Amino acid sequence: MTDATHPSVAETRAARRVTLRHIADSAFLIIVIYLVMAVVYVAVQPSALSAYSIESLFNNSLPLMLAAAGATFVILQGGFDLSVAGTISLVNVVIATTPMEGPGGALALLALAVALGMAVGAINGIIVAYLRIQAIAATLATMIICQGIALLILKAPGGMVSDFMVYELTASLTDRVPYALVIAALGVVFWTIYSRTDAGRNLLAVGQDRKAAALSGINVQRTEFFSFVWAGAFYALAAYMLAAQTSTGNPSAGEPFLLLTFAAVALGGTAFGGGRGGVTASLFGAATLMLMQKVLFAMGVSSFYTGVIQGMIMITAVLFSAAVHHAASNRRGA
Amino acid sequence: MKVTNKLKTLALAALAGTTMLSAGAADAKTADGKWLIYLSLSYSGNAWQSEAANIVKALAKTPPYNETVELVEVISGTDPQAQISDYESMIANGADGIVSFPISSNALNRVVRRGCQEDVLFFMYDGTVTEQCAYNISFLSGGFGENTAQALVNELGGKGKIFLSRGVPGNSVDERHTDGAMHIFNQYPGIEIVSEYYSYWDDRTTQQETAKALAAHPDVDGVWAQAGEYGVIQALLQADENRLVPVTGENSAGFRLALANPDMQAKGLAGVSSGSAPAQSGFAFKIMMEILNGEREPLPEGERNIEYPLPWVPADAVKMCEGDTFEDGCNVFGEDKVPSSFVSEVFNPELLPELSLTSALDGNPTEGATIQPLPEGAVKRAPDMPGINCRSCEAPDNQYDLTKIEATVQP
Amino acid sequence: MSDQTAIPLEDTRKAQRISPTVVTVATIYGIVALMIVASRLVSPSFGGLSQLETILYLSSFLVFCAFGQGLVILVRGLDLSIASVITVGGVLSAALMDGSNAGLFYVIPAILLACALIGVVNGIGVTVFNVPPFIMTMAVGIIVYSLCLGFTGGTPRGFPAPVLNDFMGSRFIGIPAPVWLLIAFAAMGTLVQSFSPFGRKLTAVGNNPEAAYVAGLPSRRLTVSVYAISAACAGFTGILLASYANGATLRMGDDYLLPSIAAVVVGGSSILGGKGTFLGTVGGAMLLTTLATILSALGIGQGWKTIMEGAVILLALILLRDTVFDSLRAVLVRKD
Amino acid sequence: MGQLLAVQDLAKRYGATVALGGVTMGIRAGEVHAILGENGAGKSTLVKILSGVVQPNDGTMLLDGAPHTPASIFAARGAGVSTAFQELSLIPHLSVAENLLLPKVSRGRFWPERRASIMQRAAAILAEWEITDIAPDAMIEDLPLAQRQRIEITRALSHATRLLVLDEPTAALPDTSWLFRQIRRLTERGVAVMYISHRLSEVREICQRATILRNGASIETVDLAGVDDAGIFAMMVGHAPAAPRSETETATGDILLETRDLHVGAIKGLNLTLRAGEIVGVAALEGQGQQDLFQALGGVRKRASGDIIVGGRSAPLGTPGKAQRTAPGIAFVPEERKADGIFDNLTAATNIVMADFASRSTGAFVNARLERNRAAKSAERVALSPRYLGFEVGNLSGGNQQKVLLARALMTGAKILILFDPARGVDVGTKQSIYAMMDDFVANGGTILFYSSELTELVQLSTRCVVLYNGQVSAEVSRADMTEERLLAAAHGPARTPPTPLREAS
């Protein structure tokens, strides 16, 4: 062991590193970015704080948030899942073509939706984890297949979504706290617990170092498999809330989610390639993306050039989170 | 400069929005006394969308609207969530009216309903929403599908192999067009649909998809196409530069010029140009302004579906415009003025006499023009189309009746 | 010294008589050939040379942009900006040529250069600032598209040079000019990717970036140049597409983004980098196009067509799996 | 005592490749049993099969008389077999505690255990195995390599109820006393230990018997007391080792490389001179800054301050590429052969010729034959058989991979070679080839700076030896006074007496 000539210095450096790392690892950064953006938004748009505005903002953001949460499971273990677009379309049309009224019906539909999402996820998982096909290509294929099935079920936008889902699920708890926010908060709670269970830890471990994880006794294939299953479940939730919000089914409902989901995950600071990040961060990443739409509108950025700003913000956010992470794990080079 | 202006306007608008919220007044105008109108586009990126937007912009700059209208353009992309978000913001900003191409016929209903409650007028053009408090101004009920299908059947003498070049899969407009067309084709056992493909209403995609279909069926006898039809002509010429077949399609300049071109006719081209007109946006805008200005009574809910007349230009009716407007019944501009993808139905001398080529291309008002009131009887109610402009409704029995053409061959 | 005795057993046993690369490429072209032959069942006019000609013609656009995508994937990247850059190429060629042949010889290089510069931005973001390629190229794609939108005001104006439009429709020795272009491009691309020091260096960078750095390869410069090439290829595709359709639209690139990745991966390249051939990519592009022509001729609903498209891609991926090769090779080796 | 583990005709094939072709051996309860063999002899495969990472194609394993067929690491642990792997299997971004307890860190399956309670359990494990200097909540990535290795071993120790497999456990350990103490505690309980190491002295110290593997097959199991080193070598390679090398003369050539007051990483003010014709060895315990020094000279790491003078001119050496191009040229062979050295998808020839591609503009096109021809000469200098040139490097043995790397370094035409542990983990034959190449290189006017973790190698090869301690030169030892004891003493710092011998040679 090297002698620590200046233990106090070493200790403080280590301490600083620990706090920075906590910041870098947790969803702290993206939460700050989100809050800053929210403040800006409220400043330029005072009506933003009205109960209705808050409710509609969260209702609108929730599907993307859930989709990004799902994608995070796969990205954390180092994979890639393009099937998000297909799964959302598929589940969305199934919900819209399976009329079930009332709270009981909504619950039954929820179970059906999640089961379907998990089934798609399981197929992805089998193909990627057990047949060992490159994830990006395999999920591209399953995405296309899901879109095809969605078109078989519903040729054009339509179908019916029960009034309970359309009106109750998108309302607010005691007229103040949108259910959408409650669901997002449940997502945070879920991840906080899940990430501390063995399954959650294994997910991160596999993402950091597949080989070491395998040699540590982690069943890497099963971990990969279940990451896709969880992802499918969350995509299904996204599709479910999308159906509630838009009160309709659309065989191409999932298409806009394809790139936005990955943008949201990246914005949240989850590393592509795995091992670092989390669902909470992605939830906030997606919320930030949707809030950005609001802020840009409020700032009156010429709509032709909205994309320029969006692109810049994405790059900056990723650079920022990388910079903090770099400072946190300021280790010796190569 | 443009941006600062907008910022200023928006700041004012925001101010107006808050006062409105507190006052709850119905007669809301911006602080400088103008109507705050939003133009919400789904997807700017093809000629059709930008022409439609330019028409509204040009009208808003035409006196006296230049003094009374504050028009803000917003592009929401292809994501319904984004358009929902933008509608919300517009409502929050105290919009008086929203002229919009809706991305989805159902997904926007909730926010539209909510806007109506805040006394915002919604005018949808071309596309529609099923929320009954919004006005839908659309040609969809005009029967594009069945009329063009009959035209093609007539040209083919009731039998032959045809392609269907469709729009976007899973889209209700595409479904309506195709259902209408199939209603006709199904009556003729001699008509054989040998290939059906999606061209995303885009010239280039149409060209490639048609080329693929031609690989299997070089002996095709006719093509029924939605927008992107000029690509069909190009693909046919590519496969065999001496052989064309009857083609029905929409309103691109390239297609109309080809229809009227004697060389092309000699090779076998015939058909009709019909379909969606960008001018619908201008029509929608003018109705809305007349209602806002109190010149026209608002229509009761449930009767707000308005039909825009279906353009109908057979080959022999194509007439080149010499000037910059549709004068003397001319209906197409030459290649020197517009690209081939330019959608020709930008002007409507009856409904929109204020417009000229510069309006459609650049969004500028026509010099010397002033806003003319809509003629008597211009606003005609459109029939119900379930899932397109209403939710729980029945389609009339005669929904596929021919309006523009008669069958010249019997099944 | 007597090396023979010290050679561990595995060296000699791992000797591979058949290069996996050759097997991959052969399999893809085998599948394509099989599909073409089988397509006769779908339509009597299929299965002939004219179908092959159509397939080659239509796959050429995909091949041009997939070359750049393939190189980017070779160095462990991904280029999501190509859809927008194709649009840039198309929009600029329509706007700058404006229907005239004059100045063609500086307009085309100027457009390619402009596109390459977009690629350089991608490359710098990825190498210098360490932004993940997925994010960097997606963001740059959004930015570039938005600039295109602003620049054109929503409507791309003008026409490409007539001579280009004529070129796309012309034939030499009975074969369409773009097919010749495809053949020349495939030959050149193969030389660059598999038989040039540049290609070797890229493979090295993709195979092991750290080792490439230590070995003294200018990894950053190589990576930046790869993104520049990818963007230039996309721009080239855009010029040709605009010439083909005699005009530009803003969404003309959208149809090529995912297929370009699919063509590369179906073509046997590893999405993880360091492995892949351009001939395989060309085969992948042909496979996708062949599939599309067959599906187009099938009288089934769009839903079923879409499902079949996904299923065939999946099947091709499964057939091209390494383990399948390994067992195949094992059988072959055991035979002799 | 009966056999605890009985292995019979074990075989493993990967496709057409035979990794293990018939291993038969037995380990008794309470015994420490060595597995000896060259790289590629099949040791790693045997470890993988025993620990459930891969499954054998043929043969049987009996553990306590019951068939041992673990389908996973986890299953193997369940049977009481645990393994400390050579390539450490720790997750860098998790805590020591979590790594120790993986894959079942939390007690509850669906509800997480409190962090404090996890730490407590981990602390108990650390205490049980006498680790006092590592906190359970420390991140693995913050620990030096030696501590990580101890965590890896501790994890294996904590699970070993029947058989402990240690694969090169001392690769990064400066001191074997802790490890040997734990091994003895374990064997007293009747647990058997399979011990794999290249270091014969360690093996002799701790093991009773050894099984020798060659070419994937077990050659013989011997009682270590009854056989001398030469006999073991002979069994390992199939022939007697080469004779010791002759002496080299002291060099007085031109100064090719010089550092002045160099600061980089842990290196604090280093002065060093390399002359043409000499091999300068670097001796140091783990973590004295040797990596930093070598990386700085190779251009991989930027120096903090001080001067590096190459060929008489101050050189910035910003990148390895620049280092190669700075006359008379510096070629660097890194420590991590797999991670920083080879391109495993490319052929050996391409790997070697890459040096050419990197440094100068070559012809427009290449093909496999052209590359083989071009690489042939460098390959010959490191005695790499030309028939390997066409193979993908990933399929070659470690020794041949190392030869490929050295051939690439030679291919650059550089006159200065910076070699970090060039002969680590390679077999005896390859070692001899590498030594010969080094001698040959300096005889032709080049100079070599090399670090080795084995003192024997330093003593055998160096013209003179520089000893690093705490980032500075603690001693410079000339050829005449060079002994392992002298180097070892200096490596422990200027004013200390060496504690227990850390590492000695056979």
Side-chain angles (χ1 to χ4, degrees):
Chain A
M1 277 288 36
T2 40
D3 298 18
T5 34
H6 303 289
S8 58
V9 176
E11 269 170 30
T12 44
R13 269 196 63 196
R16 196 200 62 195
R17 247 191 277 153
V18 166
T19 26
L20 260 176
R21 176 156 49 208
H22 276 288
I23 290 173
D25 284 355
S26 66
F28 183 82
L29 269 179
I30 186 65
I31 294 175
V32 169
I33 293 175
Y34 181 78
L35 290 179
V36 167
M37 207 174 266
V39 168
V40 171
Y41 176 47
V42 171
V44 292
Q45 184 93 48
S47 65
L49 286 179
S50 77
Y52 175 78
S53 286
I54 293 175
E55 185 183 294
S56 66
L57 178 61
F58 280 106
N59 277 336
N60 209 17
S61 309
L62 189 60
L64 183 63
M65 290 167 79
L66 292 170
T72 311
F73 283 89
V74 178
I75 291 173
L76 274 181
Q77 55 88 351
F80 228 93
D81 189 1
L82 295 181
S83 77
V84 53
T87 313
I88 290 183
S89 297
L90 176 60
V91 176
N92 184 263
V93 297
V94 167
I95 291 171
T97 50
T98 317
M100 290 195 214
E101 292 298 325
L107 205 62
L109 266 184
L110 180 66
L112 175 69
V114 171
L116 185 59
M118 288 173 113
V120 175
I123 292 169
N124 283 327
I126 289 168
I127 296 172
V128 175
Y130 294 104
L131 294 181
R132 308 248 41 102
I133 290 176
Q134 309 186 28
I136 200 168
T139 53
L140 175 68
T142 46
M143 172 187 88
I144 295 173
I145 293 173
C146 285
Q147 281 173 335
I149 301 175
L151 272 175
L152 286 186
I153 295 173
L154 201 60
K155 273 203 292 187
M160 282 296 287
V161 180
S162 76
D163 284 351
F164 178 83
M165 280 176 68
V166 173
Y167 295 106
E168 300 302 321
L169 280 182
T170 56
S172 290
L173 188 66
T174 65
D175 285 337
R176 218 35 247 192
V177 186
Y179 284 121
L181 184 58
V182 176
I183 294 170
L186 284 177
V188 173
V189 172
F190 169 79
W191 175 248
T192 311
I193 297 169
Y194 185 79
S195 63
R196 283 165 176 73
T197 64
D198 286 333
R201 206 174 336 250
N202 290 353
L203 196 65
L204 283 155
V206 169
Q208 279 176 53
D209 189 336
R210 256 181 170 60
K211 206 169 164 197
L215 294 182
S216 296
I218 294 172
N219 189 334
V220 173
Q221 288 184 322
R222 195 171 62 191
T223 306
E224 274 183 77
F225 173 81
F226 276 106
S227 77
F228 281 99
V229 175
W230 277 117
F234 273 84
Y235 300 156
L237 279 179
Y240 185 80
M241 292 313 294
L242 186 69
Q245 194 215 350
T246 58
S247 68
T248 183
N250 183 344
S252 46
E255 274 167 31
F257 284 83
L258 183 56
L259 289 186
L260 280 179
T261 301
F262 293 103
V265 172
L267 200 58
T270 294
F272 280 58
R276 180 162 64 81
V279 166
T280 307
S282 298
L283 285 169
F284 273 95
T288 306
L289 217 53
M290 297 304 287
L291 188 60
M292 194 158 80
Q293 176 91 11
K294 287 282 188 193
V295 174
L296 288 177
F297 185 99
M299 306 257 275
V301 177
S302 176
S303 42
F304 280 141
Y305 298 107
T306 317
V308 177
I309 313 277
Q310 282 176 331
M312 298 278 191
I313 290 181
M314 274 169 57
I315 295 174
T316 318
V318 170
L319 279 180
F320 186 53
S321 114
V324 173
H325 195 265
H326 184 73
S329 57
N330 193 11
R331 306 202 302 118
R332 300 197 296 161
Chain B
M1 150 110 186
K2 206 173 156 194
V3 178
T4 41
N5 262 343
K6 271 193 178 163
L7 272 173
K8 214 166 68 188
T9 322
L10 275 159
L12 288 171
L15 207 66
T18 44
T19 42
M20 190 195 78
L21 271 180
S22 51
D27 184 30
K29 289 191 175 186
T30 54
D32 52 1
K34 291 183 177 182
W35 297 109
L36 178 59
I37 308 294
Y38 283 95
L39 171 61
S40 169
L41 306 180
S42 89
Y43 183 86
S44 185
N46 59 42
W48 193 98
Q49 287 281 357
S50 58
E51 286 170 39
N54 285 336
I55 286 170
V56 175
K57 285 191 265 187
L59 286 175
K61 288 184 205 157
T62 305
Y65 289 173
N66 61 341
E67 300 289 329
T68 59
V69 172
E70 186 71 56
L71 185 79
V72 182
E73 182 187 18
V74 177
I75 299 170
S76 306
T78 49
D79 177 11
Q81 305 298 109
Q83 196 167 36
I84 292 172
S85 165
D86 287 341
Y87 279 4
E88 303 269 13
S89 301
M90 292 169 194
I91 297 166
N93 276 355
D96 296 299
I98 295 174
V99 188
S100 176
F101 177 91
I103 297 174
S104 160
S105 58
N106 298 42
L108 302 165
N109 285 352
R110 174 197 302 276
V111 59
V112 168
R113 179 86 241 162
R114 145 94 184 161
C116 291
Q117 285 161 5
E118 300 275 338
D119 293 320
V120 181
L121 287 178
F122 279 92
F123 273 77
M124 306 299 174
Y125 58 83
D126 191 67
T128 52
V129 295
T130 53
E131 171 53 55
Q132 291 298 296
C133 77
Y135 290 82
N136 290 316
I137 283 77
S138 175
F139 78 108
L140 279 179
S141 49
F144 166 80
E146 49 271 31
N147 282 299
T148 50
Q150 188 62 56
L152 188 63
V153 170
N154 289 356
E155 290 290 350
L156 296 178
K159 64 178 198 293
K161 294 178 179 172
I162 61 166
F163 296 162
L164 303 191
S165 171
R166 300 181 58 174
V168 175
N171 181 286
S172 45
V173 172
D174 168 72
E175 281 297 317
R176 169 64 186 84
H177 289 340
T178 308
D179 287 347
M182 292 312 294
H183 175 77
I184 301 297
F185 292 138
N186 286 340
Q187 296 168 16
Y188 293 88
I191 295 287
E192 187 192 351
I193 296 166
V194 290
S195 184
E196 185 179 342
Y197 46 88
Y198 288 87
S199 305
Y200 292 79
W201 294 321
D202 177 76
D203 278 356
R204 191 192 42 72
T205 313
T206 308
Q207 188 178 348
Q208 290 192 346
E209 293 301 319
T210 308
K212 284 176 197 162
L214 280 170
H217 305 284
D219 54 345
V220 69
D221 298 309
V223 181
W224 177 85
Q226 297 182 24
E229 68 285 341
Y230 186 53
V232 173
I233 309 262
Q234 285 180 300
L236 285 167
L237 286 175
Q238 187 122 44
D240 182 347
E241 55 187 332
N242 294 316
R243 177 171 181 267
L244 284 173
V245 295
V247 177
T248 63
E250 299 205 18
N251 302 317
S252 70
F255 180 54
R256 281 200 182 169
L257 289 173
L259 274 183
N261 185 333
D263 290 348
M264 303 274 193
Q265 288 171 351
K267 289 175 187 174
L269 182 65
V272 63
S273 160
S274 178
S276 171
Q280 293 169 102
S281 66
F283 186 42
F285 179 68
K286 274 179 78 175
I287 303 174
M288 177 168 83
M289 287 314 298
E290 289 187 356
I291 292 176
L292 274 178
N293 288 331
E295 296 154 8
R296 177 180 291 277
E297 280 299 306
L299 294 169
E301 268 191 34
E303 293 174 23
R304 290 182 173 174
N305 291 324
I306 297 164
E307 183 166 311
Y308 183 88
L310 181 71
W312 190 260
V313 182
D316 53 11
V318 177
K319 191 176 171 204
M320 183 81 93
C321 293
E322 302 299 329
D324 283 348
T325 60
F326 280 5
E327 298 159 323
D328 314 322
C330 77
N331 47 27
V332 66
F333 293 103
E335 263 192 25
D336 51 328
K337 289 194 175 130
V338 295
S340 57
S341 58
F342 183 82
V343 186
S344 302
E345 281 294 323
V346 283
F347 313 127
N348 188 320
E350 278 173 41
L351 303 176
L352 303 164
E354 303 87 352
L355 297 174
S356 62
L357 192 57
T358 178
S359 320
L361 286 180
D362 305 308
N364 293 328
T366 309
E367 215 159 303
T370 54
I371 297 291
Q372 304 297 313
L374 286 169
E376 199 79 17
V379 176
K380 281 199 289 271
R381 190 176 162 192
D384 282 349
M385 293 179 287
I388 293 179
N389 61 11
C390 54
R391 254 173 306 184
S392 27
C393 53
E394 294 281 318
D397 293 338
N398 64 351
Q399 63 165 335
Y400 295 135
D401 281 3
L402 297 173
T403 52
K404 293 288 182 186
I405 192 168
E406 287 185 4
T408 56
V409 281
Q410 292 314 311
Chain C
M1 65 173 304
S2 69
D3 198 25
Q4 297 307 319
T5 43
I7 297 165
L9 190 64
E10 46 190 326
D11 281 359
T12 42
R13 295 279 171 97
K14 278 191 181 171
Q16 286 158 357
R17 280 151 220 264
I18 308 145
S19 150
T21 329
V22 174
V23 180
T24 312
V25 174
T27 315
I28 298 161
Y29 285 98
I31 297 174
V32 171
L34 212 69
M35 282 168 69
I36 291 178
V37 171
S39 68
R40 198 176 270 278
L41 300 172
V42 175
S43 160
S45 29
F46 270 169
L49 281 179
S50 78
Q51 186 199 10
L52 186 65
E53 188 184 296
T54 310
I55 290 168
L56 285 172
Y57 192 116
L58 290 175
S59 51
S60 65
F61 304 109
L62 184 53
V63 166
F64 297 145
C65 58
F67 174 60
Q69 186 72 269
L71 289 187
V72 173
I73 289 177
L74 189 64
V75 297
R76 298 192 171 187
L78 200 60
D79 191 351
L80 299 186
S81 69
I82 65 160
S84 299
V85 180
I86 288 175
T87 303
V88 171
V91 165
L92 284 184
S93 56
L96 297 181
M97 295 173 191
D98 203 18
S100 129
N101 290 332
L104 202 60
F105 290 101
Y106 64 83
V107 169
I108 293 183
I111 294 172
L112 295 181
L113 195 69
C115 293
L117 279 178
I118 299 171
V120 168
V121 173
N122 278 330
I124 288 175
V126 169
T127 55
V128 179
F129 295 103
N130 278 319
V131 181
F134 192 96
I135 301 303
M136 187 65 204
T137 56
M138 179 164 80
V140 166
I142 294 172
I143 292 173
V144 165
Y145 180 82
S146 160
L147 290 174
C148 265
L149 198 58
F151 170 72
T152 58
T155 324
R157 303 281 169 82
F159 298 95
V163 84
L164 285 181
N165 187 240
D166 294 344
F167 171 81
M168 295 306 285
S170 62
R171 286 170 175 271
F172 298 109
I173 330 177
I175 293 172
V179 175
W180 287 113
L181 194 63
L182 170 75
I183 293 168
F185 195 90
M188 224 174 61
T190 303
L191 279 178
V192 169
Q193 190 166 339
S194 302
F195 296 100
S196 79
F198 180 67
R200 287 284 200 274
K201 285 190 264 189
L202 296 184
T203 313
V205 169
N207 186 205
N208 190 341
E210 287 78 25
Y213 179 68
V214 172
L217 297 179
S219 304
R220 278 187 182 177
R221 214 172 340 137
L222 287 169
T223 307
V224 171
S225 64
V226 159
Y227 280 96
I229 290 173
S230 173
C233 285
F236 183 64
T237 312
I239 296 174
L240 290 181
L241 273 175
S243 310
Y244 172 68
N246 203 22
T249 61
L250 282 174
R251 63 171 298 278
M252 60 196 288
D254 293 11
D255 296 347
Y256 293 92
L257 176 55
L258 291 180
S260 76
I261 298 171
V264 171
V265 177
V266 169
S269 295
S270 164
I271 199 81
L272 303 174
K275 184 175 156 247
T277 60
F278 185 50
L279 273 186
T281 302
V282 174
M286 282 180 66
L287 191 149
L288 295 177
T289 313
T290 309
L291 178 62
T293 52
I294 295 174
L295 287 180
S296 152
L298 277 179
I300 53 173
Q302 181 65 15
W304 286 113
K305 285 183 187 175
T306 314
I307 293 172
M308 282 185 65
E309 187 188 346
V312 170
I313 293 177
L314 201 56
L315 209 67
L317 290 170
I318 293 175
L319 281 178
L320 290 169
R321 265 194 328 160
D322 281 351
T323 45
V324 176
F325 288 143
D326 284 344
S327 25
L328 195 71
R329 224 167 18 231
V331 170
L332 289 171
V333 170
R334 222 170 280 161
K335 265 186 188 158
D336 45 47
Chain D
M1 239 186 285
Q3 300 271 53
L4 176 84
L5 175 76
V7 173
Q8 188 73 40
D9 295 327
L10 205 60
K12 175 68 188 173
R13 288 182 299 275
Y14 294 101
T17 306
V18 178
L20 214 56
V23 168
T24 301
M25 61 171 290
I27 302 183
R28 299 178 193 132
E31 176 192 28
V32 184
H33 191 110
I35 303 290
L36 297 171
E38 296 188 331
N39 282 74
K43 290 172 297 183
S44 315
T45 310
L46 179 61
V47 170
K48 282 182 185 162
I49 293 174
L50 272 174
S51 45
V53 177
V54 296
Q55 280 67 47
N57 300 99
D58 275 314
T60 56
M61 295 185 287
L62 294 178
L63 190 66
D64 261 354
H68 177 60
T69 52
S72 68
I73 298 233
F74 205 61
R77 272 190 204 166
V81 178
S82 70
T83 309
F85 291 95
Q86 183 182 7
E87 64 271 35
L88 304 186
S89 64
L90 304 174
I91 311 293
H93 210 60
L94 289 182
S95 67
V96 167
E98 289 168 309
N99 270 287
L100 281 177
L101 298 169
L102 275 177
K104 296 251 182 267
V105 177
S106 175
R107 276 212 169 117
R109 174 154 187 175
F110 298 107
W111 194 256
E113 185 178 344
R114 278 189 314 116
R115 189 177 160 81
S117 146
I118 292 174
M119 291 302 156
Q120 222 169 5
R121 287 197 288 132
I125 295 173
L126 289 175
E128 184 190 349
W129 300 104
E130 299 179 0
I131 293 188
T132 51
D133 58 337
I134 306 172
D137 61 348
M139 282 277 176
I140 290 295
E141 64 179 3
D142 293 340
L143 300 182
L145 197 60
Q147 290 195 348
R148 291 192 212 182
Q149 179 128 41
R150 273 155 69 207
I151 296 298
E152 173 86 19
I153 294 168
T154 305
R155 178 163 74 189
L157 287 168
S158 70
H159 291 291
T161 52
R162 279 183 172 143
L163 175 67
L164 172 70
V165 182
L166 297 171
D167 191 359
E168 295 285 352
T170 52
L173 276 191
D175 187 342
T176 54
S177 55
W178 168 80
L179 174 64
F180 287 179
R181 209 161 54 237
Q182 310 313 322
I183 290 179
R184 290 192 182 106
R185 282 178 59 197
L186 215 54
T187 48
E188 277 162 19
R189 301 180 196 166
V191 176
V193 177
M194 179 185 271
Y195 192 94
I196 295 162
S197 175
H198 273 108
R199 299 194 177 116
L200 217 45
S201 56
E202 280 175 10
V203 169
R204 284 188 178 281
E205 187 182 342
I206 192 76
C207 304
Q208 290 86 49
R209 294 193 306 158
T211 297
I212 288 114
L213 299 187
R214 191 170 76 223
N215 288 354
S218 50
I219 301 301
E220 204 179 336
T221 297
V222 293
D223 217 321
L224 278 164
V227 58
D228 65 355
D229 289 358
I232 290 174
F233 285 139
M235 281 185 269
M236 279 165 65
V237 298
H239 65 94
R245 299 166 48 259
S246 58
E247 293 281 304
T248 358
E249 289 144 42
T250 317
T252 49
D254 298 336
I255 296 178
L256 296 184
L257 184 140
E258 199 180 345
T259 70
R260 287 184 193 152
D261 195 26
L262 181 70
H263 283 78
V264 54
I267 293 289
K268 302 163 200 147
L270 186 94
N271 295 307
L272 189 74
T273 315
L274 294 185
R275 291 172 181 275
E278 64 176 352
I279 300 176
V280 178
V282 173
L285 299 179
E286 194 63 37
Q288 305 303 317
Q290 59 267 44
Q291 278 96 344
D292 299 324
L293 172 65
F294 276 68
Q295 288 178 355
L297 294 180
V300 176
R301 237 187 113 98
K302 289 209 172 54
R303 61 172 189 253
S305 68
D307 240 350
I308 298 175
I309 293 146
V310 183
R313 271 189 301 271
S314 175
L317 305 183
T319 65
K322 278 193 193 132
Q324 283 174 15
R325 287 189 296 272
T326 308
I330 300 174
F332 172 52
V333 174
E335 177 181 13
E336 301 283 346
R337 181 195 311 143
K338 198 111 192 159
D340 301 333
I342 58 160
F343 308 110
D344 53 9
N345 278 354
L346 295 174
T347 63
T350 312
N351 265 278
I352 294 171
V353 179
M354 197 58 72
D356 253 5
F357 297 154
S359 55
R360 47 195 89 101
S361 54
T362 47
F365 297 109
V366 293
N367 63 35
R369 181 173 304 155
L370 222 68
E371 285 175 328
R372 280 204 298 275
N373 292 341
R374 242 197 258 173
K377 204 164 159 258
S378 295
E380 198 190 323
R381 288 173 71 183
V382 294
L384 176 70
S385 168
R387 61 205 187 88
Y388 293 146
L389 287 175
F391 291 151
E392 286 183 8
V393 164
N395 291 341
L396 297 186
S397 71
N400 280 327
Q401 291 179 349
Q402 191 67 20
K403 285 182 179 176
V404 166
L405 279 187
L406 289 167
R408 185 200 295 160
L410 295 178
M411 190 91 193
T412 61
K415 283 284 171 208
I416 307 165
L417 286 189
I418 308 290
L419 311 177
F420 198 100
D421 227 350
R424 184 169 76 152
V426 304
D427 52 70
V428 178
T430 305
K431 271 194 173 126
Q432 294 306 326
S433 311
I434 293 173
Y435 298 163
M437 181 279 285
M438 288 167 71
D439 278 342
D440 181 56
F441 183 79
V442 295
N444 286 311
T447 183
I448 295 176
L449 182 74
F450 88 109
Y451 167 80
S452 173
S453 50
E454 288 183 42
L455 293 176
T456 343
E457 208 166 271
L458 288 167
V459 171
Q460 193 184 350
L461 283 173
S462 312
T463 323
R464 65 196 165 87
C465 206
V466 170
V467 186
L468 291 185
Y469 179 75
N470 211 4
Q472 283 166 327
V473 176
S474 66
E476 196 169 320
V477 184
S478 68
R479 183 99 197 91
D481 341 324
M482 205 177 296
T483 59
E484 289 175 27
E485 293 72 22
R486 172 92 176 75
L487 292 178
L488 199 60
H492 279 87
R496 285 196 205 171
T497 49
T500 45
L502 292 196
R503 191 173 286 163
E504 57 197 44
S506 45

